Amino acid sequence: MQEETTDDLPYISEAESQKDTNLPMQGRRIVDMMHFIQQLKKISSHGSLFNCNFNEMSLIGETRNGLISKYKFRCNMCQKDFLITSEDPVSEENIDVNLAAVTGITSAGIGYSQFQEITACMNVPIFSEKTYCKFQDVIYEKWETTAVEAMEAAAMRERDAATAEGRLTKDGVPMIDVYADGCWSSRSYGNNYKALSGAAAIVGRRFGEVLFIGIKNKYCLVCARAEKKQITIPEHACYKNYTESSSSMEAEIICQGFETSIAMYNIVYSRIIADGDSATYSKILARNPYPFFTVQKIECRNHLLRNMCNKLRAVT
Ligand SMILES: [Zn+2]
Ligand SMILES: [Zn+2]
């Protein structure tokens, strides 16, 4: 087994790692069982003149990087120190437990404080909020890359299927049907359009996979604070990318998807299956994304029913 090393685990500086040498060690930990047992086996049979075994060893310290720990053991017979880790730091195929936890938090749609609450009840010590934000940046970047790759692969599948069926424009560009819909925050159906962010997606009809997503934000906290305090806006990763009316966000994103489909994937979205609200389709027609081709519209049955219900309710 190796002697103590000073190399840091990924993403956390030495200053941020929390040293805890006050034994007995408190709380619970998450360990990679097989890795942990293997290391215990190794250090317990370290041999030497004294025929030492694990009974002679004491845990003398822990260096914790969030959920990952390094434990220092000392053999009371030969006075040698050994370091073992809660998981394999060089394992390529697995992301470490810190990143895994942040991925879980994000997937579950909760935040740091909820996670803190849960792990506090479980008596598992975790990372600080500052570190959590750093991990989140790493994950968002990975997700973005994966999303782009996945959407590209989905588009290729749709394109190949259309080509195989001979669904091509006069210029030989494959044509596919797509669903398009959006959502935006703090909007109640029918009357309130004050949403600050909106998202929309275009999904291929044949395989039901996302081909295009877009997010529009009308609000950025950093900009808003600077404006309110009347100071110059500091350099920041700004989230504000939209100034038009909230209700036009969805149509705007979907139009962008249509306008970039040839450049991105060499595909024409020939028919759109959209909601009963005709704003998106009218906007697509007005923008005329394919000068040689008019996009057609198919009504979505679900939205048709919803709109009918709304009208019926209005009548009563
Ligand atoms: Zn020993
Ligand atoms: Zn900003």
Side-chain angles (χ1 to χ4, degrees), residues 107-178:
S107 304
I110 57 172
Y112 179 76
S113 54
Q114 284 88 351
F115 182 65
Q116 204 177 21
E117 228 22 87
I118 295 167
T119 48
C121 291
M122 292 164 66
N123 202 5
V124 175
I126 57 165
F127 33 78
S128 68
E129 190 162 9
K130 201 175 138 199
T131 310
Y132 167 72
C133 293
K134 268 198 243 171
F135 285 141
Q136 223 178 20
D137 287 346
V138 174
I139 283 166
Y140 285 170
E141 218 168 283
K142 283 190 180 167
W143 278 10
E144 252 178 63
T145 319
T146 313
V148 169
E149 284 168 7
M151 285 190 285
E152 177 130 25
M156 294 307 104
R157 270 182 88 190
E158 291 274 353
R159 198 178 71 185
D160 291 346
T163 313
E165 274 182 3
R167 283 192 65 193
L168 306 170
T169 63
K170 274 184 232 144
D171 307 322
V173 183
M175 299 189 289
I176 65 163
D177 297 342
V178 294

